[in-house]
Amino acid sequence: MVEFRLGALRRWLDANVDGGAGELSVTPIAGGRSNPTYEVTDGRSFWVLRRPPFGHVLPSAHDMGREFRVQAALRDSGVPVPRLVGLCLDESIVGAPFYVMDRLDGITLRGRDDAARLTPVQRARLADRMVDTLVRLHEVDPGAIGLAGWGRPDGYLERQLRRWSDQWTASRTRPRPQVDTLLRRLTQTLPRDRHPGIVHGDFKLDNMLLDRADPARVLGVLDWEMSTLGDTLSDLGILCSFWDEAGELPNPISAGATALDGFPGRWYVVERYGAARGIDITDLDWYLVFADFKIAVILEGIHARHLQGHTSGARFEGLDAVVDALLDRALARAADSSVAGLRS
């Protein structure tokens, strides 16, 4: 585990929280594979600290300042986010820039076993509230909350495809022929950007913090490390990539969490989203295929850092096979698409 300079961290908290902080203890929060996250407490108050991953980090990735800024801007927007304590760019305290937020006392559904603890009625209500939360985010006017110029919506999808292609090249641990095929098909069918707004970048079930008493209520949306301004339909693609259905190959990360009774089908999610925004969503194939590819690239980067010895633990084992499974599923989705250019 990273060596925290607890005295320096306490002095930083003293300057940023009302009443100061007592003697601190720090505990890693399980579940995350990307940005290391920790619970910090003095026995009276509880906070969450996030920092970039260890080892080689690709350019523009894991920017703590961006992650902090978007949550601070959204605080009074109706999108549920934790209260931010502060951003620290002094790398001497934890070895990297970091930020701290209040800990919300809620639960996270990491996979199928966690989701199985909800009743079918709770699962159905949670699905509706997740979609409504995503709609609320996408309907926020960035300029009205100080995020004008924070990103460039025009050309977003083209830049995304180029970025994740470059990151694959920088992170790959071995050649995979699926990648060349997917990139060729995605490039030749690139849609024009539609419906610009704030993009979360990783909107899915296990990035929701839920009320313990009412697990259908979203207390906070977490993990904003990939957020920017862009085509908001890309978030819907990510959500649908992780939205498993009974009888089909699940996303290897979510592993069937939303295939349980009560969760509606993927196209219910799409239709509810489209109706709430008053937009026509006739074809999400490109966004779904791209979402699987993007997730595979992210996991390849984590796998590469694991091979370099920068991470340890069971949750980092077997990622090589998960990357292959996602790339294969992306190719299968492309082959079944109504878009001719995705099929060949």
Side-chain angles (χ1 to χ4, degrees):
M1 189 180 102
V2 61
E3 292 295 326
F4 284 86
R5 294 178 55 214
L6 292 182
L9 181 58
R10 180 181 176 181
R11 289 191 293 274
W12 183 87
L13 280 170
D14 281 339
N16 286 275
V17 300
D18 293 337
E23 294 296 324
L24 300 178
S25 64
V26 178
T27 306
I29 295 177
R33 291 188 177 95
S34 187
N35 284 353
T37 306
Y38 305 86
E39 180 182 272
V40 180
T41 182
D42 62 0
R44 296 177 293 114
S45 299
F46 293 83
W47 303 279
V48 171
L49 182 151
R50 277 172 65 84
R51 56 148 291 159
F54 304 97
H56 175 61
V57 177
L58 296 170
S60 79
H62 310 284
D63 184 337
M64 295 294 99
R66 287 187 64 81
E67 194 170 336
F68 180 88
R69 181 183 172 190
V70 66
Q71 291 177 89
L74 287 168
R75 180 62 187 169
D76 297 317
S77 69
V79 178
V81 291
R83 189 188 74 85
L84 279 299
V85 173
L87 170 70
C88 180
L89 301 179
D90 181 355
E91 299 187 11
S92 68
I93 298 176
V94 303
F98 67 90
Y99 73 91
V100 174
M101 54 190 162
D102 284 351
R103 190 198 70 176
L104 297 174
D105 185 20
I107 59 173
T108 302
L109 306 183
R110 297 290 180 193
R112 188 182 179 94
D113 289 345
D114 290 340
R117 299 189 182 100
L118 275 62
T119 67
V121 171
Q122 288 173 326
R123 294 178 202 131
R125 289 172 56 216
L126 173 58
D128 284 349
R129 290 182 178 181
M130 282 184 64
V131 175
D132 295 346
T133 299
L134 186 60
V135 169
R136 189 174 301 119
L137 171 65
H138 291 166
E139 293 291 292
V140 170
D141 176 2
I145 61 170
L147 293 180
W150 181 60
R152 294 179 294 144
D154 292 342
Y156 170 78
L157 294 178
E158 182 180 4
R159 291 194 305 276
Q160 280 285 293
L161 189 56
R162 184 169 61 248
R163 173 188 179 185
W164 293 105
S165 173
D166 290 345
Q167 294 208 5
W168 174 265
T169 300
S171 298
R172 65 182 177 187
T173 59
R174 61 180 175 86
R176 286 183 171 89
Q178 308 102 305
V179 172
D180 290 339
T181 301
L182 283 169
L183 286 174
R184 175 176 55 79
R185 295 183 186 183
L186 287 167
T187 300
Q188 68 190 16
T189 55
L190 187 75
R192 63 180 180 85
D193 292 287
R194 297 181 286 172
H195 311 295
I198 300 171
V199 173
H200 178 275
D202 197 22
F203 193 91
K204 56 189 173 72
L205 183 62
D206 67 351
N207 278 338
M208 305 293 113
L209 194 66
L210 310 176
D211 192 325
R212 292 183 185 276
D214 177 12
R217 176 172 171 252
V218 179
L219 290 180
V221 180
L222 308 177
D223 291 4
W224 293 84
E225 63 196 75
M226 289 184 284
S227 57
T228 188
L229 301 186
D231 185 337
T232 51
L233 292 186
S234 62
D235 270 345
L236 187 60
I238 288 286
L239 178 59
C240 288
S241 172
F242 285 104
W243 203 270
D244 301 321
E245 294 188 25
E248 69 176 23
L249 179 69
N251 185 299
I253 300 172
S254 47
T258 57
L260 296 166
D261 289 345
F263 282 116
R266 187 180 300 115
W267 293 110
Y268 170 89
V269 170
V270 173
E271 290 170 2
R272 182 180 180 90
Y273 175 93
R277 294 197 68 188
I279 60 177
D280 179 30
I281 306 173
T282 56
D283 191 353
L284 272 181
D285 287 352
W286 191 93
Y287 296 90
L288 279 168
V289 173
F290 176 67
D292 280 355
F293 169 70
K294 172 182 170 180
I295 298 163
V297 176
I298 293 168
L299 292 181
E300 180 75 349
I302 297 169
H303 177 56
R305 291 195 294 274
H306 181 63
L307 293 179
Q308 294 161 6
H310 298 298
T311 60
S312 62
R315 70 185 187 277
F316 296 101
E317 301 294 340
L319 286 181
D320 187 60
V322 175
V323 171
D324 275 328
L326 279 166
L327 293 174
D328 289 343
R329 191 176 76 161
L331 280 175
R333 280 184 163 155
D336 289 339
S337 174
S338 60
V339 180
L342 281 175
R343 294 197 301 269
S344 60

